[in-house]
Amino acid sequence: MKIGVYFCNCGSNISDKVDSVQVYQALEGLTDVAYFKINDLMCSEDGKQFLNDDIAAEKPDRIVIAACSPREHENTFMRVLTGAGMNPYLMQMVNIREQVAWVTDGVDKASAKAAQFIKGAIKRVGFHKPLEKKSIEMSPDVLIIGAGPAGLKAAITIAETGRKVTLVEKSPVIGGQPVLYEEVFPNLECAPCMLEPLLNEILHGEHAENIEILTLSEVVELTGFYGNFIAKIKKTPRYADLNQCIGCGECIGVCPVDIKNEFNNGLDVRHAISLSFAGALPNVPFIDMTACLRAKGEDCKLCERSCPLGEGIILYDDAEETVERRMGAVIVAVGASLYDAGLIPKLGAGTVPDVYTSFEFERLLSSTGPTGGQLVTSSGKTPESIALIHCVGSLDSNHKEYCSGVCCQSAFKYNLMVEHKLNDAHIYHLYKELVYPGKEEFFLYKRAKENINSAFTRYLNIGSLEITAAEDGRILIKNTLSEKGAIKADMVVLCPALAPSKDTDKLNEVLGTTADTYGFFEELHGRLDCAKSKVRGIYIAGACQSPMNIAQAMTQGMAAAGYVLSGLAEGKQLEIEPITASVDAQRCSGCRVCMLLCPYKAISLDAETRKSSVNEVLCQGCGTCAAACPSGALSSNHFTNEAIFAEIEGVLA
């Protein structure tokens, strides 16, 4: 085998510390080394041209390049090899800059060390095999799960480029949690008004025809891989024609059935047929068939008879169906939920009247909420004092150790909104820590502190707070670790941590994605790739990845869209790197150890042969399976056991 060695001086970075002559002399006598050539700066244009011309002239079987870190220029030299007509995987690079020249004292010692490293590479490269990249057709279409701010922003961004988007939303409406809020921090903008232009673009804009909206739907199965996913989507019937209904609401008032209104957290009731709330989009009612009299065998048709458009708008025979969509990528944007304050029983959530969670309080403040925006207690009285409990379940090893970063902003916003509605009301803030990052967020804290009716009290442990109903009908808030007296208030608002939505585990199972330590969708890298999941082609956006505010969710939706648009260009083929795992079917026993350990869900069991099979699109070549396989059936292309042992022997020789 003819092996050529190229030694780069890297200007003076290497040549000042490593003597190329000493290295050459150390390699003399190695039978496979056909030549040893030195270049001052191999990555320069002149250096690359030298390498190209020399390979074309020498026609080596393998080459070793002793230079800088492969992270910096391995791809550079692989492109040169390709241009010179040599398979790029028949090269081994040795890092004699960072690993030798920069960290080894003395020229003799560094030169000897560099020579040993190069000997290892020479031994190893003999086991390299020519590998070829593959390419396959990709679908440019995209599936987005969740129609909150992050999902909507990603959908319109992708649709504007002419791509087709399927937007799947579990609830009857789009917009996510913010459309249920009267005002949002930090500037107290009307949330529905703020989102209206985006919602209008999604539903009626220039690119709306590129977006298929499936409400009351959920993804129940996902197969395939990046560029070629197939999703099965279950559609729950709405029982109203989305295309013909004008949303006049005539059908709603005649419905004789009242049920708890989940959109107001059960604080009031709605009819079995209803709109989610005033201003909900799509502006078409839906029927909760579990509550409808027809589900109990009665032939009630009051809603149909009241429809001014006549028959055919209310669809009693509407049925559940499962549809399939093919797409190249998936964006998960299902948001988050509040931590269950009921898990801290002394706080009185659900047991003490007029103790509300922050979401319940948002609906009380909303003009579309159960009280039309009037702030009153359950007895109809205007509260004279309200206590806001920060950090409910946050910063606590017994509950959620992290800080959500948005709860304090909500509490400061409530301070100002209460001030606007009840000018003389006393507002008590009980907090563990106060957080107000960002260039605008300090404003709300400052306004709260400047309110002469506001008071701030710090507590050490949420478990020390006891909230009970007082004999005079008010609420008693006692800190058992404080010598200060108890506080009495007419209303208490608990501000819980943001937590993963309840469907996260189920969706992770369907998509093959994973959850992080806290239960949120796990990102590929928390700093560098927080909009990517660990499954290639599945991206995550918004509060399903981590607690965040609306602005951050929108930005992450854009980031996910950017990944999709750059990777799934129209007409572009998916290039598959050949450094993946491969299976020796003769040795595979089908024990599935590799399937359990693969972090990229790239290995499956062939139904016919009962042997492991590697999906080359999903495999990232990490080598976990090869290291764990008890029968040695799995190996990593370009990182075979033979090559690695040969390199070790070469270094130690």
Side-chain angles (χ1 to χ4, degrees), residues 89-90 118 121 194 251 343 531 557 583 591 606:
Y89 296 94
L90 299 180
I118 295 171
M194 181 182 72
C251 56
L343 296 174
V583 183
C591 68
D606 188 287

Side-chain angles (χ1 to χ4, degrees), residues 179-328:
V179 292
L180 292 163
Y181 297 171
E182 185 76 0
E183 296 171 343
V184 292
F185 62 77
N187 299 321
L188 271 64
E189 287 180 78
C190 164
C193 304
M194 181 182 72
L195 289 172
E196 194 276 336
L198 176 58
L199 294 170
N200 188 51
E201 278 295 309
I202 293 283
L203 291 168
H204 311 297
E206 181 181 353
H207 307 287
E209 63 180 15
N210 291 331
I211 304 174
E212 178 190 30
I213 300 174
L214 302 178
T215 53
L216 291 166
S217 302
E218 57 184 318
V219 177
V220 294
E221 183 180 306
L222 185 75
T223 55
F225 44 81
Y226 178 49
N228 291 279
F229 287 113
I230 301 290
K232 288 185 179 178
I233 303 163
K234 186 179 75 175
K235 295 174 61 180
T236 302
R238 181 180 284 267
Y239 302 104
D241 192 314
L242 266 170
N243 297 316
Q244 297 191 62
C245 176
I246 59 174
C248 65
E250 292 292 327
C251 56
I252 297 174
V254 298
C255 178
V257 178
D258 286 336
I259 56 177
K260 281 192 174 182
N261 186 351
E262 67 272 28
F263 299 98
N264 287 333
N265 267 29
L267 297 175
D268 64 353
V269 296
R270 64 173 178 84
H271 296 297
I273 181 170
S274 69
L275 290 164
S276 304
F277 48 87
L281 295 173
N283 184 32
V284 175
F286 67 99
I287 297 178
D288 183 343
M289 196 50 78
T290 61
C292 179
L293 294 178
R294 297 183 65 82
K296 300 174 183 175
E298 298 187 30
D299 190 26
C300 176
K301 292 186 176 181
L302 289 174
C303 51
E304 182 185 62
R305 290 170 184 159
S306 66
C307 179
L309 299 183
E311 296 182 356
I313 308 302
I314 301 298
L315 307 172
Y316 295 128
D317 57 353
D318 203 359
E320 178 182 300
E321 63 175 324
T322 300
V323 298
E324 280 192 4
R325 295 292 183 272
R326 175 176 177 263
M327 72 290 299

Side-chain angles (χ1 to χ4, degrees), residues 24-43:
Y24 170 67
Q25 291 172 345
L27 301 181
E28 282 187 318
L30 295 181
T31 55
D32 287 338
V33 178
Y35 60 86
F36 180 94
K37 299 190 179 183
I38 303 169
N39 187 275
D40 283 337
L41 201 62
M42 194 96 74
C43 62

Side-chain angles (χ1 to χ4, degrees), residues 483-500:
E483 295 180 354
K484 293 183 179 179
I487 296 172
K488 275 192 174 182
D490 298 312
M491 187 177 285
V492 171
V493 181
L494 306 176
C495 299
L498 286 185

Side-chain angles (χ1 to χ4, degrees), residues 447-491:
R447 283 293 304 265
K449 288 290 285 186
E450 290 175 349
N451 184 343
I452 59 173
N453 291 323
S454 298
F456 286 73
T457 303
R458 190 172 190 177
Y459 65 84
L460 293 177
N461 189 332
I462 193 71
S464 67
L465 299 185
E466 290 183 358
I467 298 176
T468 55
E471 292 182 356
D472 59 1
R474 304 183 73 195
I475 302 170
L476 191 67
I477 306 153
K478 185 179 179 182
N479 185 348
T480 58
L481 296 179
S482 173
E483 295 180 354
K484 293 183 179 179
I487 296 172
K488 275 192 174 182
D490 298 312
M491 187 177 285

